[in-house]
């Protein structure tokens, strides 16, 4: 179902925004992993196999840093719309609102997208953002360093449990100075009463269903509900918010690296009726020319690769030509296993 919104985020034009009924189920058996636990590696692997998703506690990122980043983000999103627009449109980095990608997907969301490559970070952002929010830039840089370190630690724990050699074979892809990782801050305003009356008990879709093309994504959000994942049986469940933990999501590339042992997780965000939601996501990706194929150390004798080899550039180019909900791995599956 879609509704015609007469109240766009910036009030300039009308857009079609999807709605859906909020699921009644809450993810009851969410995998929660204490990263300081001696059995963390085994628990991480099981979570990646079961849901492609888990919550991490004792991650070590200072609460003061995440609070400062959230405050800086809210400060930016609270600016008058013309001032925010001066930091966009996102191409791909910078400020964007409503439009998600270039292929017609829209949502009840505004966002900032940053590159994590040092020489690209500042150069790719509009001067208006750097001029108005210099502390914001510094805080983003500090947070990215912290979250990348935690992510690499998680990947090394997984590698230890799976027997991947070398141990940093996956995490080194994120530590590479040319790693094509990125960082996104999303803001989902509370749904206005006038619009809520139009949609009659349904939720506006803030960010439509999709999988992430990178290796792994790391989500942190404020204490507002709305984030949901799709289970193997196709049902959608809500993930209880927790602003002290990190949520990890297996991406398309990780599914390929494990030859399907880990499954990329489809997810979405619904707008809240009464509270705004702010989230920050680190997308850990390899260098542009990095070849992606199943790791030989994870392949059993005689096991066939389910995917054709491709570079991250080839996959990224294909993924960003698609719609959000498309199955992006399809064109890269071998003909013997390709979905019909």
């Amino acid at each position: 179902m879609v509704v015609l919104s007469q109240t766009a985020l910036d009030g300039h034009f009308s857009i079609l925004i999807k709605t859906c009924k909020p699921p009644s189920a809450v993810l009851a058996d969410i995998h929660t992993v204490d990263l300081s636990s001696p059995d963390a590696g085994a628990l991480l692997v099981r979570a990646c196999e079961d849901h492609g998703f888990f919550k991490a506690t004792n991650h070590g990122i200072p609460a003061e840093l995440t609070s400062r980043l959230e405050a800086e983000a809210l400060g930016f999103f609270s600016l008058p719309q013309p001032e925010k627009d001066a930091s966009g449109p996102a191409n791909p980095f910078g400020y964007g609102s409503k439009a998600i990608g270039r292929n017609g997907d829209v949502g009840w969301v505004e966002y900032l997208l940053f590159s994590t490559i040092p020489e690209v970070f500042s150069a790719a952002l509009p001067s208006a953002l750097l001029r108005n929010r210099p502390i914001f830039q510094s805080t983003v840089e500090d947070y990215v360093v912290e979250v990348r370190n935690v992510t690499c630690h998680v990947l090394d724990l997984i590698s230890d449990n799976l027997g991947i050699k070398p141990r940093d074979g996956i995490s080194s892809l994120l530590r590479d100075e040319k790693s094509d990782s990125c960082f996104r801050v999303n803001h989902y305003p509370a749904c206005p009463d006038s619009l809520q009356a139009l949609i009659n008990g349904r939720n506006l879709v803030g960010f439509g269903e999709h999988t992430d093309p990178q290796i792994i994504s790391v989500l942190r959000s404020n204490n507002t509900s709305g984030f949901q994942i799709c289970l193997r049986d196709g049902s959608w469940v809500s993930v209880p918010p927790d602003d002290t933990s990190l949520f990890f999501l297996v991406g398309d590339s990780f599914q390929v690296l494990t030859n399907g042992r880990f499954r990329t997780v489809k997810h979405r965000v619904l707008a809240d009726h009464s509270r705004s939601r702010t989230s920050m996501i680190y997308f850990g990706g390899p260098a542009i020319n990095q070849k992606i194929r199943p790791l030989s150390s994870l392949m059993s004798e005689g096991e066939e690769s389910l995917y054709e080899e491709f570079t991250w550039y080839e996959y990224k180019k294909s993924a960003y030509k698609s719609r959000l909900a498309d199955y992006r791995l399809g064109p890269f599956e071998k003909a013997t296993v390709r979905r019909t």
Side-chain angles (χ1 to χ4, degrees):
M1 174 182 176
V2 296
V3 296
L4 184 61
S5 166
Q6 299 298 323
T7 313
L9 291 184
D10 57 9
H12 292 319
F13 52 87
S14 299
I15 54 174
L16 289 173
I17 297 182
K18 293 182 179 180
T19 68
C20 65
K21 291 183 178 180
S24 56
V26 175
L27 183 59
D29 61 340
I30 181 171
H31 288 277
T32 301
V33 182
D34 179 345
L35 296 184
S36 66
S37 170
D39 59 351
L43 296 174
L44 292 170
V45 169
R46 180 182 174 188
C48 291
E49 292 174 338
D50 286 353
H51 294 318
F53 173 79
F54 59 89
K55 180 168 77 171
T57 62
N58 281 325
H59 48 75
I61 297 181
E64 180 276 332
L65 177 57
T66 54
S67 296
R68 177 158 42 98
L69 178 54
E70 184 177 315
E72 282 293 321
L74 289 174
F76 174 83
F77 291 124
S78 298
L79 291 172
Q81 193 64 44
E83 292 187 41
K84 291 186 288 187
D85 289 340
S87 295
N91 188 32
F93 305 112
Y95 173 75
S97 66
K98 299 173 294 295
I100 303 172
R102 302 176 180 178
N103 302 305
D105 292 297
V106 294
W108 193 255
V109 64
E110 56 181 342
Y111 64 89
L112 282 166
L113 184 63
F114 302 84
S115 170
T116 64
I117 300 177
E119 60 266 32
V120 176
F121 184 89
S122 295
L125 291 179
S127 58
L129 177 61
L130 301 181
R131 182 175 62 253
N132 293 336
R133 312 296 298 185
I135 299 177
F136 194 3
Q137 177 186 356
S138 174
T139 306
V140 168
E141 290 175 325
D142 291 344
Y143 182 82
V144 166
V145 169
E146 292 282 352
V147 75
R148 180 172 54 226
N149 287 339
V150 174
T151 305
C152 289
H153 176 57
V154 164
L155 293 174
D156 288 345
L157 289 174
I158 290 173
S159 294
D160 285 342
N161 189 264
L162 293 178
I164 296 174
K165 303 295 183 181
R167 180 179 191 257
D168 65 349
I170 302 177
S171 64
S172 63
L173 302 180
L174 275 58
R175 292 195 184 278
D176 189 317
E177 63 180 9
K178 297 298 183 182
S179 165
D180 188 39
S181 300
C182 57
F183 180 70
R184 184 179 183 121
V185 183
N186 288 332
H187 179 241
Y188 304 92
C191 179
D193 291 340
S194 57
L195 184 55
Q196 182 58 40
L198 289 175
I199 61 179
N200 193 24
R202 299 172 69 92
N203 279 95
L204 281 175
V205 174
F207 212 109
E209 62 183 76
H210 65 287
T211 61
D212 295 334
Q214 290 87 358
I215 296 172
I216 197 164
S217 305
V218 188
L219 166 72
R220 187 268 175 189
S221 66
N222 66 350
N223 236 5
T224 301
S225 61
F227 181 70
Q228 302 172 350
I229 66 169
C230 185
L231 302 180
R232 296 289 182 88
D233 63 5
S235 62
W236 286 93
V237 292
S238 295
V239 177
D242 181 352
D243 61 357
T244 65
S245 300
L246 298 177
F247 295 88
F248 286 74
L249 298 89
V250 169
D252 298 346
S253 296
F254 211 176
Q255 177 170 318
V256 174
L257 290 172
T258 60
N259 205 34
R261 179 170 177 173
F262 293 175
R263 300 291 292 183
T264 185
V265 59
K266 186 178 292 186
H267 52 286
R268 68 185 182 189
V269 176
L270 303 186
D272 192 89
H273 298 317
S274 58
R275 298 184 60 193
S276 65
R277 175 182 169 87
T278 304
S279 61
M280 49 195 78
I281 312 98
Y282 169 74
F283 299 96
I288 285 293
N289 61 356
Q290 176 66 45
K291 293 181 179 179
I292 308 294
R293 60 179 178 271
L295 298 171
S296 58
S297 58
L298 293 182
M299 302 279 282
S300 304
E301 184 176 353
E303 181 180 351
E304 179 185 1
S305 171
L306 302 179
Y307 307 95
E308 305 286 353
E309 180 180 277
F310 53 86
T311 65
W312 170 239
Y313 173 77
E314 291 170 331
Y315 190 67
K316 181 179 178 180
K317 183 179 179 181
S318 174
Y320 285 95
K321 285 182 179 179
S322 65
R323 297 292 298 271
L324 273 178
D326 288 347
Y327 179 62
R328 294 164 171 165
L329 280 172
F332 298 90
E333 290 179 337
K334 288 194 172 180
T336 54
V337 298
R338 189 165 295 154
R339 294 185 178 188
T340 56

